[in-house]
Amino acid sequence: MAGAVARLRLQDRRALMMPAGYGLLGLYLLGYLAWLIVRGSDQSWPLFGSWTVAGFEIFVSLLCVARGLTARSGRAVPVTLGLGLLLWALGDLILAVESQGGVEPPTPSLADAFYLGFFPLTYVAVVLFMRGEVRRLATPSWLDGAVAGAGAAAVCAAFVFHGVLHAAGGGTAATATNIAYPVSDLLLLSLVVGGSTLMSGRRKAPWLLIVAGIAINVVGDTANLFHSSLGRSGLILDAIAWPASILLMSMAVWLRPRPINPLVAQKPTTFLIPGLSASGALVVVLAGNLQEISRVAVALATVTLVLAGLRLIRSVRAMRALSQERQHQSITDELTGLNNRRFLSTVLDAFFADYDQSAPGSRGLACLFVDLDHFKDINDTYGHLAGDQVLKQLGPRLTACLRAEDLLVRLGGDEFVVLLLDADADYAVVVAQRLTEVLAEPFTLSLTQASVGARIGIALAPTDATDAHSLLWCADIAMYRAKLAGSPYVCYHHDRDLIGNRMQLLAELQTAIDEHHLFLHYQPQLDLRSGRIVSVECLVRWQHRKLGVVPPLDFLPFAEEAGLMGQITALVLSDAITQCAEWRDQGIVLTISVNISPTNLLDPQFVPLVEHLLDRHGVPASALILELTETSVISDFERSQQVIQELLDVGVFVSVDDFGAGFTSLAYLSTLAVKELKLDRTLVSPLSGGANPRDLELVRSTIELGHALGLRIVAEGIEDGATLEVLSALGCDLGQGYFIGRPTVASQLAVASPAPLPGFLPIAS
Ligand code: C2E
Ligand code: MG
Ligand code: MG
């Protein structure tokens, strides 16, 4: 522990050393500046003499090189930059030697060779630095950089070159040397301005220090060039600029760039610098017409404007492509690539706007509203990625059933719409049949296959509706009717009974609940060992004043959707427990099975309600079984697990209904505190009349596994004696089905007679 703390302190100390060291060097520089300002014209002091300053520069350059040599990666930039700085510092040292004794060194001198050696190394370092930061750039960004750099060069050339040509005197070598400085500075400046454009919006601190260093260097060089006209301040600038510039650039390589935060979107590069540069270039070109400006400057300005023009062309193209892309995205469903609801509205609005009912031969339109069955089950059982896979495969499959001029649209979720132009009801039905067929074929998922069916509602324009909203509404109503009727597709009919009108249906259902027009049928369950009726399943019906008795699957989905399941279950439970109590009073002891819905499990008042009703009628909890369908248990597994346990704690058993209709394994369900398993009709009905060995084996192993898990097995949908026989031979506990007894009102239920049913061979116990 103490060792770790000591190590940490050592690391802290090391981390502090560099900033502290550079801080001291900065202080020295400030002292030097102060001395430059206050000193007399011929005063000298060894601490700030040319030798000492050259030594300072050499030390700082070596620090930069040292950074490169000690770094684990990214060595090229500090080493190249450091060597560049070192060349300049050595130039200063040589100049100090050459100027000893007040001698004016020749132009060019050896020091010039070192000074000028600084530039190529620094160009390389700057380019390497930018490449490290900006790896992948689109052409417009490079163009922005080029516009910015060339524009800056043009503006500087306009000011500087004129002065240079005047300032530079002497022979060819001297002129070339004098021109080499501003030209090299100009290049460096344009590189840095262009680079700043590319780097805008990125990690900044090290780059800003390099830019500041180069800017100070350019200022120093300019001051050097014009120091005769600038006077004393020019001399001070010239003297301080280089050590300051070297210090900043050396510091830059030690700064650690802040890591990019991937959660924050990077700011796009701005057009400010290129914009200013291009404007500057324009001014240079205009000014070139009015007064004498260096040709180099005019040429650079012209290049800048050409580049800006290219950039403009790229931008216009990019804007056009972007707006096309946006337009495409706005009408496309991202997952399936099909058109979306917005596109559908546009198409329908355009159709109806153009539609003239009075014109002879006006075009008709068929609208097919497709709603997938069991899609939620796939999402719940296999996950949303599997659901997505189904939806993606669906588009090409459905499109293959359509003509090129027809339109397929994903409305959202598992709802699709097909528009058939110039189609009548007959053609719409043909297409609906084709769609039903292709949707019935299984979909391939990563590890398995899954099946979805669909219900299709068909509405026609102008027969059923004359505007977009009504057409979709009619097709939607027809689709719901298809769901209710259990038909694959249904055509909308204006004057059909109220069941087509969902709003009216729901209002009536609420009234039916309030006025108790819901009643129960009871279906007997036979103990396959004793041959006695030992329990009944309670099945709700709606006594409708016009439609007669409405079966549960025709109205329960609506009730579920409208949030009426709580009220319906309360009513059913109350009736069933009341009836159970009445039978018990008559000496008929039966267990009652009541179906409950997944939404009941979400209601915290549900378990207390069950307890209250049992208590009120004096019925023991063991006389009540609550049936939950397999899919509803799986869709909210944790909540189901909790409520099932709570019910078990009060003595009420839970049964998993319709087992085998979904995709769940028995082992998965075994983690629930359920006590009974009801084999779905789809497993049971194949057993009738010479069942094939695989079906038989499936039921046999399910029963065996269920028993091994301590579950009672009930077989549903027994429609003949043969099935009953097979099931009893396989060891099934209870049987239910039309063969044993159809669901009926309590008064007609033949429970009093325990006699074995015809064709039933009770197993001797
Ligand atoms: P379920 O719980 O699986 O009920 C069995 C269904 O199969 C009943 O249909 C019954 O009439 C039918 N059935 C029974 N034996 C046979 C047979 O031998 N052959 C055939 N083909 N069918 C048979 P029903 O009464 O139409 O009920 C359908 C579903 O409605 C029920 O399926 C249950 O899930 C739901 N349900 C019924 N009553 C209620 C209720 O009070 N609450 C809730 N939440 N759901 C209910
Ligand atoms: Mg049931
Ligand atoms: Mg069932």
Side-chain angles (χ1 to χ4, degrees), residues 537 595 627 629 656-659 678-681 716 736:
E537 177 169 8
N595 295 283
E627 294 187 11
T629 57
V656 176
D657 201 357
D658 301 344
F659 182 76
K678 292 189 78 172
L679 303 185
D680 191 61
R681 243 194 346 260
E716 284 190 287
Q736 177 184 345

Side-chain angles (χ1 to χ4, degrees), residues 39-170:
R39 71 165 181 170
S41 55
D42 52 354
Q43 225 175 334
S44 69
W45 190 24
L47 186 62
F48 296 133
S50 48
W51 293 96
T52 333
V53 173
F56 167 90
E57 290 176 354
I58 291 173
F59 177 69
V60 175
S61 311
L62 287 174
L63 273 183
C64 185
V65 178
R67 171 62 180 162
L69 298 181
T70 54
R72 283 204 199 104
S73 61
R75 294 172 165 194
V77 173
V79 168
T80 324
L81 185 66
L83 289 178
L85 298 177
L86 190 62
L87 282 185
W88 192 280
L90 289 173
D92 270 354
L93 187 70
I94 293 166
L95 190 71
V97 174
E98 285 175 340
S99 323
Q100 244 182 333
V103 180
E104 176 78 16
T107 305
S109 75
L110 180 63
D112 286 318
F114 276 83
Y115 285 141
L116 290 173
F118 155 82
F119 288 101
L121 285 172
T122 310
Y123 299 151
V124 173
V126 169
V127 170
L128 286 177
F129 186 94
M130 286 190 321
R131 283 225 9 220
E133 290 289 311
V134 196
R135 290 229 160 81
R136 233 176 280 148
L137 266 187
T139 315
S141 303
W142 286 115
L143 276 173
D144 282 352
V147 170
V155 173
C156 291
F159 287 109
V160 177
F161 265 67
H162 200 60
V164 171
L165 293 176
H166 285 278

